[in-house]
Amino acid sequence: GVSAMEQTIRVGDAVVLYGVGRGMKRGRQASALTALVEMHPGEVVQNRFGDFRHDDIIGKPFGTKIRSQCAEDGFMYALPAVPPLVGTSLQQSTQVLQNWDVGLVLQLLYARPGSRIVEAGTGAGALTVALASCVAPSGHVLSFDVESERVMAARQHLRLLGAEAVVAECDICVRAPEECKPHYGLLDGMFFDLPDPVAASVVMLPYLKSGGRLVAFCPYLGVAQHQSAFLHTLRFQGIRMFEAGAAAWGVREGARQKKTAQKRDERVDTLWRGGDPWESYRMPGQSHSGFLIVGTKPLADEVDQPP
């Protein structure tokens, strides 16, 4: 088959415009910018990199470098709308799962083709898109949020990307959604990104099958400990907590060989290239978003066993 990067961009396609490096000062690189755009003739995308006409993008292959119409040195790359890029490009109005969180959540849920998964706390829909991609073509993703605006935005993103998922407005801390009734006791996994995951667990756990997995995103350690204790009282198996994060490292010129050995606590190392000293250093940036609690619902014959 033809890879996404070899395909030609057409009218109506979802494109991620990616730009980085504009405004570099004193050797520091500006933060990257990604924008999810649906291609329509005559329209223009405006951002700090410049103005980009859709007509200059349509007909080009993915990966093309697009020049700005107003900024002499402005450019962006037209990339395919794959889940990792989509996750960073969606407009975020709440606490957001980072790409490293999304990858770990998919792994902890065992998300695969045919899985039935419920998500509570749709947000902008970044995880919803990733889940829908994993469970396709025979699986089901049901996502719920208390804000109607987020629900509408997530539906729009799914439509734009050609992904299939049920997205509806419901507070699952209060009641179970009607959309979940056909999946009672059959769900393979649940993911909660809510202020009170325990309340949601009380309502929704009957819908999770034995051996199914529950994953909760907890922004604070106290919430994570509360959720862990609750799952323990229900005899859940394999309860674990993960702190997901990412550390960006750079390499710069400047010999500090003697000082390096004395400052290992500062996490600075010296590399050698052709006899010239270089050093790696930890770059500033977000590295922590929260805690992930995971547990497996026990089988029926395990419920009566002591924890």
Side-chain angles (χ1 to χ4, degrees), residues 267-300:
R267 309 184 74 174
V268 177
D269 298 309
T270 298
L271 305 177
W272 290 91
R273 296 183 178 180
D276 296 327
W278 294 71
E279 63 180 13
S280 60
Y281 66 99
R282 184 162 182 171
M283 301 173 65
Q286 183 177 3
S287 61
H288 166 81
S289 52
F291 302 92
L292 291 169
I293 301 296
V294 59
T296 303
K297 188 175 181 178
L299 302 176

Side-chain angles (χ1 to χ4, degrees), residues 7-297:
Q7 296 176 2
T8 299
I9 301 172
R10 300 169 297 180
V11 174
D13 279 351
V15 175
V16 172
L17 294 180
Y18 175 83
V20 67
R22 184 169 174 81
M24 292 179 63
K25 294 181 179 180
R26 298 181 181 178
R28 293 189 177 183
Q29 186 170 343
S31 60
L33 173 68
T34 56
L36 178 63
V37 183
E38 185 174 10
M39 293 290 102
H40 294 292
E43 295 190 5
V44 178
V45 177
Q46 296 179 324
N47 53 49
R48 71 170 183 264
F49 290 89
D51 296 350
F52 302 89
R53 300 187 305 182
H54 290 208
D55 292 332
D56 293 337
I57 303 174
I58 297 172
K60 301 291 195 309
F62 282 105
T64 299
K65 185 177 184 179
I66 309 298
R67 294 287 181 180
S68 169
Q69 293 299 306
C70 65
E72 182 178 352
D73 59 342
F75 66 89
M76 299 187 79
Y77 293 96
L79 303 178
V82 295
L85 291 175
V86 170
T88 58
S89 63
L90 296 181
Q91 294 295 324
Q92 307 296 346
S93 58
T94 59
Q95 173 80 29
V96 58
L97 291 173
Q98 303 297 324
N99 280 332
W100 55 79
D101 296 317
V102 171
L104 182 56
V105 169
L106 297 177
Q107 179 182 358
L108 295 177
L109 287 173
Y110 292 152
R112 59 194 183 277
S115 296
R116 305 185 188 193
I117 298 176
V118 160
E119 174 193 20
T122 308
L127 179 61
T128 315
V129 171
L131 286 170
S133 299
C134 286
V135 307
S138 55
H140 299 273
V141 174
L142 302 96
S143 185
F144 304 96
D145 203 290
V146 296
E147 297 289 342
S148 59
E149 292 183 359
R150 296 177 197 165
V151 170
M152 297 301 295
R155 288 175 178 172
Q156 175 67 11
H157 295 145
L158 288 165
R159 181 199 64 78
L160 179 60
L161 298 168
E164 296 185 4
V166 174
V167 183
E169 182 179 352
C170 182
D171 185 356
I172 69 167
C173 294
V174 177
R175 64 178 181 85
E178 291 294 326
E179 292 84 355
C180 290
K181 298 297 176 65
H183 305 280
Y184 188 89
L186 300 174
L187 293 176
D188 298 288
M190 294 180 177
F191 175 76
F192 298 152
D193 184 2
L194 303 167
D196 189 0
V198 171
S201 300
V202 172
V203 175
M204 293 299 300
L205 281 182
Y207 291 81
L208 186 65
K209 72 178 185 181
S210 296
R213 283 198 152 193
L214 171 63
V215 179
F217 175 80
C218 306
Y220 306 110
L221 183 59
V223 177
Q225 292 173 336
H226 188 204
Q227 176 71 7
S228 298
F230 175 77
L231 295 180
H232 184 72
T233 61
L234 297 180
R235 311 297 199 269
F236 265 61
Q237 306 297 315
I239 301 172
R240 297 185 66 186
M241 179 172 69
F242 296 84
E243 183 180 11
W249 288 76
V251 178
R252 63 191 174 193
E253 187 175 9
R256 296 185 183 180
Q257 186 179 16
K258 294 181 179 180
K259 294 182 179 180
T260 297
Q262 302 172 1
K263 297 185 177 181
R264 288 295 179 182
D265 57 326
E266 296 181 7
R267 309 184 74 174
V268 177
D269 298 309
T270 298
L271 305 177
W272 290 91
R273 296 183 178 180
D276 296 327
W278 294 71
E279 63 180 13
S280 60
Y281 66 99
R282 184 162 182 171
M283 301 173 65
Q286 183 177 3
S287 61
H288 166 81
S289 52
F291 302 92
L292 291 169
I293 301 296
V294 59
T296 303
K297 188 175 181 178

